[in-house]
Amino acid sequence: MLHTLAVPAPHPTSVCLHPDDNGLLVTTARYGVKNPDATSGAVLSVPVPVKGTAACSWRG
């Protein structure tokens, strides 16, 4: 099932699931934004019903 999430920020940039918490983390842009607001350059957390997996290092 797909969902759309509206965030209170003008320029969301990336998302990831927190591995230890049921949270979706959303980063927002500040650099290059003409009229930044309080959420510009922030990391927002939204509760979700799933957990992420821990990141692992890659050595290629």
Side-chain angles (χ1 to χ4, degrees), residues 5 7 22-26 44-48:
L5 175 68
V7 295
N22 287 31
L24 178 72
L25 302 174
V26 181
L44 308 172
S45 179
V46 180
V48 292

Side-chain angles (χ1 to χ4, degrees), residues 1-7 24:
M1 177 183 304
L2 297 175
H3 293 275
T4 300
L5 175 68
V7 295
L24 178 72

Side-chain angles (χ1 to χ4, degrees), residues 28-58:
T28 63
R30 182 168 186 83
Y31 181 77
V33 175
K34 291 187 186 237
N35 296 313
D37 65 11
T39 60
S40 298
V43 177
L44 308 172
S45 179
V46 180
V48 292
V50 296
K51 289 184 179 182
T53 57
C56 60
S57 297
W58 171 260

